[in-house]
Amino acid sequence: MKQHLFLSLTLGTGWLLCPESLVMVGNGAGQMGWIALPLLVAIALLYSICNKLIQTPRFPDTTGGGFLLLKTMTGAIPAAGISLAAFIPLLILAATALLVTSGYTFNEVFLYWFPNFGFSFLLLALLCTLQLLPEKLIVRAQIFFVCLAAGGLLILSVYGITTSDIPTTAVLKESGSIWSSSSAILLLLFAGLTCNSNTQHSFFSVPVAGLLIFSLWIVASLTYVSPERLTSSTIPYMTAARKIMGEPGRQLMGIIVISGTCAAITGLMLLCKQMLCNIAGVNSPNSKFSRNLRWSFSPLIAMITGILLATGLAGDELLEVLLRGALILWLAHYTLLCFAAILHSYRKAKTVPWTGSVCTCVLMVALFSLITDNPHRMELLVFLFSVLIISGLFSTIWFYINTIHPNKHLTNGENR
């Protein structure tokens, strides 16, 4: 059980430790001040309740629980389309954005003469090669990436809090507005959260880990950097690290950024492959589908990401809009999972879990807020609808052209 719990934790915390999440936390702390701390507690509680809600329905094939849950509400083809829309764009766009950030970080912090994009492509090649190794080695690498990033962030946070001349109580008196857009954006910190583990009581591990890490980092950041600077900075994590520990802190943050990028991309790769296997009804890692996926999926994603890097999207403001759209699609998928779990509970037991229902309503309000408050609302809506349409077409092709029977997932699970 401990092994499954730790695996769920390392997969779910990959995105938590990436540079994009550190930007969200830093900007949010600057806008909301100490109010960000109780808000983080509320978000951790919300996700814990929602994860438990999603884990409540029991299916014969527990490894495909998320897809099967959606399938009971929408049918196989829409469920597959929604799943593809939630994970594939996020993986590609996140990889593009994070690799560029890592490239600039490596150039500016460690070797100024090394080309930024050269490091980005090198890291992309290494992460793609990692995906071709046996899954046991990939998981071990993911654990290493997560521990390195989390350990570095905790060291900076604890050092900053314990060595500051300013009392923590004085820092926590500074507050902003909880009604800022950051209150909804903080929900996106848990993108890629995996809740299909068949391990009992794993629903709270990732939210609690995120709460612990980010609470300490917010306090340390507010201690050394003014809220105005945190709000306006595009790299608030690097600003705070330099203020906390000087040049060693800057170098340590460089390691955190690169290892966090590796953790996010590796974790999303594993979750995407798991999602595709769930849709195909494949549960064995030694099956023909799994073997073909292992050798084809990561090179395909690497090729698409490389094209986006080479064509200049990485330096365009559009990438930020598209990545925000991909995160919103993930949150929409997660919200639908919660709604499907409520519907499943009502069908089976004629009862509605009120705590899960309230949390699902909060997620729906947050989704609406993230879309309407975005300054690039029209571009965002075009992206969302385009991805959903394309994913729907791909899922239709998947089930009809490749003759994969929609009920194969459930049949395979029951026959075992």
Side-chain angles (χ1 to χ4, degrees):
M1 173 179 171
K2 290 181 179 179
Q3 183 178 1
H4 288 295
L5 184 63
F6 192 56
L7 176 60
S8 177
L9 179 63
T10 52
L11 287 177
T13 52
W15 178 260
L16 275 173
L17 300 165
C18 75
E20 184 68 21
S21 294
L22 294 177
V23 171
M24 293 181 195
V25 171
N27 292 159
Q31 292 181 19
M32 293 180 286
W34 68 266
I35 297 178
L37 297 177
L39 182 60
L40 270 179
V41 174
I43 290 174
L45 180 61
L46 181 146
Y47 274 114
S48 296
I49 293 172
C50 289
N51 287 351
K52 185 177 181 180
L53 174 68
I54 294 171
Q55 286 185 1
T56 300
R58 295 298 173 191
F59 295 97
D61 181 5
T62 54
T63 59
F67 173 73
L68 292 176
L69 192 56
L70 273 182
K71 178 175 171 288
T72 61
M73 183 177 70
T74 65
I77 293 177
I82 294 168
S83 300
L84 291 173
F87 283 97
I88 302 300
L90 177 59
L91 170 59
I92 295 172
L93 294 168
T96 303
L98 297 179
L99 286 169
V100 170
T101 301
S102 292
Y104 277 104
T105 300
F106 186 80
N107 172 270
E108 294 176 1
V109 175
F110 298 109
L111 295 177
Y112 68 91
W113 51 265
F114 200 95
N116 329 350
F117 281 92
F119 183 80
S120 299
F121 279 103
L122 176 62
L123 194 58
L124 175 61
L126 291 175
L127 292 175
C128 175
T129 303
L130 174 64
Q131 293 295 319
L132 303 178
L133 301 177
E135 187 170 325
K136 183 184 294 185
L137 296 179
I138 302 175
V139 170
R140 289 177 179 174
Q142 175 69 358
I143 292 172
F144 172 76
F145 295 146
V146 168
C147 290
L148 188 61
L153 201 59
L154 288 173
I155 289 172
L156 274 173
S157 301
V158 173
Y159 181 87
I161 294 172
T162 56
T163 59
S164 173
D165 295 331
I166 305 174
T168 303
T169 53
V171 175
L172 296 182
K173 290 180 181 179
E174 298 290 335
S175 65
S177 174
I178 195 171
W179 301 111
S180 67
S181 59
S182 297
S183 58
I185 290 174
L186 290 181
L187 286 168
L188 302 178
L189 292 174
F190 295 88
L193 183 69
T194 175
C195 49
N196 292 334
S197 173
N198 52 8
T199 304
Q200 295 284 346
H201 309 302
S202 62
F203 55 85
F204 63 88
S205 57
V206 176
V208 170
L211 174 63
L212 172 64
I213 293 171
F214 286 138
S215 295
L216 293 174
W217 180 242
I218 285 174
V219 173
S221 298
L222 288 173
T223 302
Y224 283 86
V225 186
S226 67
E228 294 77 15
R229 182 74 182 277
L230 286 174
T231 302
S232 61
S233 177
T234 56
I235 49 172
Y237 51 86
M238 193 62 75
T239 303
R242 186 172 59 249
K243 291 285 186 179
I244 291 172
M245 203 182 284
E247 185 60 25
R250 188 166 168 267
Q251 293 174 350
L252 182 55
M253 182 53 73
I255 295 173
I256 295 168
V257 166
I258 295 171
S259 56
T261 295
C262 294
I265 296 175
T266 303
L268 288 174
M269 279 274 196
L270 289 172
L271 289 174
C272 283
K273 288 193 288 187
Q274 177 189 345
M275 177 267 298
L276 293 173
C277 286
N278 291 342
I279 293 175
V282 176
N283 303 315
S284 171
N286 298 319
S287 66
K288 182 179 179 180
F289 179 85
S290 297
R291 291 196 301 269
N292 290 339
L293 190 66
R294 172 184 167 190
W295 294 106
S296 62
F297 181 71
S298 57
L300 177 61
I301 295 297
M303 182 179 67
I304 297 173
T305 304
I307 292 173
L308 295 180
L309 286 170
T311 53
L313 179 63
D316 198 313
E317 186 183 0
L318 179 62
L319 178 59
E320 184 179 348
V321 178
L322 298 181
L323 179 55
R324 183 59 53 83
L327 289 167
I328 289 173
L329 282 171
W330 171 82
L331 188 60
H333 171 266
Y334 187 83
T335 305
L336 282 175
L337 280 179
C338 295
F339 189 77
I342 294 170
L343 187 61
H344 186 275
S345 176
Y346 179 75
R347 286 173 177 172
K348 293 296 182 181
K350 301 301 179 184
T351 59
V352 176
W354 69 270
T355 52
S357 300
V358 171
C359 290
T360 303
C361 290
V362 172
L363 291 176
M364 294 175 66
V365 172
L367 270 174
F368 180 78
S369 173
L370 287 169
I371 295 173
T372 56
D373 290 348
N374 195 292
H376 304 279
R377 186 164 51 252
M378 289 306 300
E379 294 92 332
L380 188 64
L381 288 172
V382 170
F383 172 77
L384 296 178
F385 284 112
S386 299
V387 170
L388 288 172
I389 291 171
I390 294 171
S391 300
L393 290 175
F394 269 109
S395 64
T396 302
I397 294 171
W398 189 312
F399 281 101
Y400 287 105
I401 303 301
N402 296 319
T403 66
I404 298 178
H405 196 278
N407 294 323
K408 183 177 179 182
H409 332 30
L410 190 55
T411 304
N412 285 350
E414 287 173 344
N415 288 340
R416 290 202 317 276

